[in-house]
């Protein structure tokens, strides 16, 4: 059940990014991310494919590794930058905390796989 909830959060996030394409590109440009269109396309694909793989339980190890790297990088590029620069810190800090919780859930998923 936990794996399914994490999977759904990635799938819903991908749908949100795709449905707000222009705004998401603008956010990425504001944070000076290189190649925002390629980055957004990659993010959506990683979230959808990773979410579906988590949901059905296939390719669990590579999926968790890819999603872990994605969440860590996304956290470093946007909310962590905001918190360090005091730009929207009040919204960035909770996002960082929830992303850390997601990272912990991904690690736990692998740890409990053998149980």
């Amino acid at each position: 059940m936990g794996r399914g909830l994490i999977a759904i959060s990635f799938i819903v996030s991908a749908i949100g990014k795709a449905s707000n394409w222009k705004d998401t590109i603008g956010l990425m440009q504001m944070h000076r991310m290189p190649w925002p269109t390629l980055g957004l396309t990659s993010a959506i694909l990683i979230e959808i494919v990773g979410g579906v793989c988590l949901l059905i339980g296939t390719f669990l190890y590579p999926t968790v590794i890819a999603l872990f790297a994605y969440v860590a990088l996304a956290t470093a590029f946007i909310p962590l930058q905001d918190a360090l620069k005091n730009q929207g810190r009040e919204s960035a800090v909770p996002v960082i905390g929830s992303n850390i919780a997601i990272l912990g859930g991904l690690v736990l998923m692998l740890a409990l796989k053998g149980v």
Side-chain angles (χ1 to χ4, degrees):
M1 186 169 168
R3 188 179 74 217
L5 292 171
I6 292 175
I8 289 169
S9 72
F10 280 109
I11 294 167
V12 168
S13 177
I15 293 168
K17 285 177 178 66
S19 64
N20 293 311
W21 184 272
K22 237 180 181 178
D23 293 339
T24 308
I25 290 287
L27 178 70
M28 294 171 84
Q29 289 172 334
M30 185 177 77
H31 285 87
R32 298 177 190 203
M33 292 182 70
W35 310 297
T37 303
L38 178 62
L40 181 54
T41 303
S42 299
I44 292 169
L45 285 173
I46 289 168
E47 287 184 343
I48 288 177
V49 172
V52 169
C53 285
L54 285 182
L55 195 60
I56 61 178
T58 58
F59 306 111
L60 202 56
Y61 285 100
T63 299
V64 168
I65 290 167
L67 288 173
F68 189 95
Y70 164 73
V71 172
L73 286 171
T75 303
F77 268 107
I78 296 182
L80 187 59
Q81 277 187 20
D82 288 347
L84 293 174
K85 294 177 182 175
N86 278 332
Q87 298 172 347
R89 186 182 186 118
E90 61 282 342
S91 63
V93 171
V95 171
I96 294 168
S98 66
N99 285 359
I100 291 170
I102 290 169
L103 293 173
L106 289 169
V107 169
L108 188 59
M109 196 179 310
L110 288 184
L112 296 177
K113 174 81 167 103
V115 174

